Amino acid sequence: MDFAPVLTEHESLDCRLPAHQTVPVVVASPHSGSVYPASFLEQAAVPLSALRRAEDAFVDELFAAAPSLGMPFIAARFPRSYVDANREPYELDPAMFEGPLPRPLNHRTTRVAAGLGMIPRVAANGEAIYRGRVPAETIEHRLESCWRPYHRTLSLLVEQTYSSFGGALLIDAHSMPSSASTLGTRDRNQQVDIVLGDNHGEACAPEFTAAAERWFRARGLRVLRNQPYAGGFTTQRYGRPALARHTLQIEINRSLYMDEARHERLPVVGVVARIMTGLLETMAEQARETLLPPRPLAAE
């Protein structure tokens, strides 16, 4: 399957397409963006270092082999603290804004209560991002410049994949701070390396989650399912197993590949990238088995 060049041209996106898509897999990284608008930094009450703690830093690099494996890859260039593409479009705290709102906001969610709506209210350390209220017109501006281009393109990639292969698997790639890597375990000294989120079985066929878990465990990594991350807006929107559209969220412990305090890659980042490349190859094979019709036997 070939793609229209226009998909790669939006300034808010890093969309890397294979010369020809050979497997029914799409890879996305909604939180690895690090392009901070100057106007946003001028509004911020916290330093850039505090904002950057929300990034899934270098995750786009860990999955960079996707196009060479015949898979389209999309990453947001905008940072998560500016627009969170893994939230509903109007999942926002109305108290953040000044002026007439564009429509009623979905503010009764645990994520909004925590300050982590589509436009986050707080940084990763819990400090308020903004000095005061944000102009209400900011909502539509950021939706139109960032959120909508990301999801229009991702939706198109998934639907083109489905049309060509009769099914699609979306790998939604994330990272988690090491401070969160013991959540969901009884042994607080037991670090979790990988969390697989399939929305408690609602977002993808069990074969995909099981294949990913086997791959990581065979490499000596500790894996949990759905704790503490079962998946966000992306798994809920794009994961429709009954319609042959599957989504699996993957959270990688940042301490495996980066110095979190310095925001720098560790020397082992290449090793982790090779593990993720092997994962994509494994998921491609599983997608062929699960989604593609069986090949007819050759005549005697």
Side-chain angles (χ1 to χ4, degrees), residues 68-152:
S68 68
L69 299 175
M71 308 170 186
F73 174 85
I74 180 174
R77 288 196 175 115
F78 52 88
R80 182 184 189 179
S81 54
Y82 183 69
V83 169
D84 191 336
N86 201 27
R87 298 288 183 265
E88 296 177 29
Y90 294 97
E91 189 174 3
L92 292 162
D93 181 356
M96 284 180 62
F97 301 99
E98 184 174 49
L101 298 172
R103 50 160 283 179
L105 304 182
N106 179 14
H107 64 281
R108 299 183 184 278
T109 73
T110 56
R111 293 175 292 224
V112 169
L116 301 174
M118 186 274 292
I119 298 177
R121 177 171 50 81
V122 300
N125 59 5
E127 291 185 78
I129 292 176
Y130 300 96
R131 294 186 178 90
R133 289 195 173 193
V134 179
E137 56 265 28
T138 300
I139 297 172
E140 287 300 331
H141 171 72
R142 295 193 191 178
L143 282 171
E144 196 58 35
S145 62
C146 298
W147 193 97
R148 289 186 180 121
Y150 179 86
H151 281 287
R152 284 177 186 140

Side-chain angles (χ1 to χ4, degrees), residues 9-112:
E9 294 177 358
H10 199 282
E11 62 183 5
S12 69
L13 306 178
D14 180 5
C15 191
R16 310 172 203 166
L17 305 177
H20 185 72
Q21 186 175 357
T22 57
V23 292
V25 180
V26 177
V27 183
S29 176
H31 292 159
S32 56
S34 59
V35 179
Y36 288 80
S39 59
F40 172 52
L41 295 178
E42 290 170 2
Q43 289 177 297
V46 295
L48 177 60
S49 58
L51 297 173
R52 297 208 70 186
R53 293 191 190 105
E55 292 177 20
D56 288 348
F58 314 122
V59 165
D60 54 337
E61 298 177 18
L62 298 180
F63 288 87
S68 68
L69 299 175
M71 308 170 186
F73 174 85
I74 180 174
R77 288 196 175 115
F78 52 88
R80 182 184 189 179
S81 54
Y82 183 69
V83 169
D84 191 336
N86 201 27
R87 298 288 183 265
E88 296 177 29
Y90 294 97
E91 189 174 3
L92 292 162
D93 181 356
M96 284 180 62
F97 301 99
E98 184 174 49
L101 298 172
R103 50 160 283 179
L105 304 182
N106 179 14
H107 64 281
R108 299 183 184 278
T109 73
T110 56
R111 293 175 292 224
V112 169

Side-chain angles (χ1 to χ4, degrees), residues 63-274:
F63 288 87
S68 68
L69 299 175
M71 308 170 186
F73 174 85
I74 180 174
R77 288 196 175 115
F78 52 88
R80 182 184 189 179
S81 54
Y82 183 69
V83 169
D84 191 336
N86 201 27
R87 298 288 183 265
E88 296 177 29
Y90 294 97
E91 189 174 3
L92 292 162
D93 181 356
M96 284 180 62
F97 301 99
E98 184 174 49
L101 298 172
R103 50 160 283 179
L105 304 182
N106 179 14
H107 64 281
R108 299 183 184 278
T109 73
T110 56
R111 293 175 292 224
V112 169
L116 301 174
M118 186 274 292
I119 298 177
R121 177 171 50 81
V122 300
N125 59 5
E127 291 185 78
I129 292 176
Y130 300 96
R131 294 186 178 90
R133 289 195 173 193
V134 179
E137 56 265 28
T138 300
I139 297 172
E140 287 300 331
H141 171 72
R142 295 193 191 178
L143 282 171
E144 196 58 35
S145 62
C146 298
W147 193 97
R148 289 186 180 121
Y150 179 86
H151 281 287
R152 284 177 186 140
T153 304
L154 180 57
S155 295
L156 184 57
L157 293 175
V158 170
E159 289 309 310
Q160 286 184 331
T161 299
Y162 175 83
S163 296
S164 294
F165 296 94
L169 169 65
L170 171 60
I171 301 293
D172 197 40
H174 296 258
S175 68
M176 58 184 175
S178 57
S179 59
S181 67
T182 57
L183 294 178
T185 65
R186 294 181 179 179
D187 182 358
R188 295 299 179 183
N189 295 319
Q190 186 82 351
Q191 175 177 282
V192 176
D193 299 310
I194 303 290
V195 176
L196 301 175
D198 60 8
N199 198 18
H200 302 284
E202 297 294 322
C204 70
E207 294 91 334
F208 292 121
T209 311
E213 183 170 4
R214 286 194 301 270
W215 171 261
F216 286 126
R217 288 191 182 278
R219 265 101 218 131
L221 299 173
R222 300 185 182 94
V223 182
L224 276 182
R225 296 191 187 188
N226 297 306
Q227 296 182 51
Y229 306 107
F233 174 77
T234 300
T235 55
Q236 295 160 10
R237 173 171 177 166
Y238 296 93
R240 296 287 186 270
L243 301 177
R245 294 166 175 84
H246 305 262
T247 302
L248 180 63
Q249 178 176 286
I250 298 175
E251 296 272 0
I252 307 165
N253 189 323
R254 292 174 191 162
S255 67
L256 292 176
Y257 68 89
M258 68 177 285
D259 183 321
E260 294 173 271
R262 296 175 178 267
H263 208 87
E264 295 176 352
R265 303 167 188 80
L266 293 174
V268 296
V269 66
V271 174
V272 178
R274 287 191 289 275

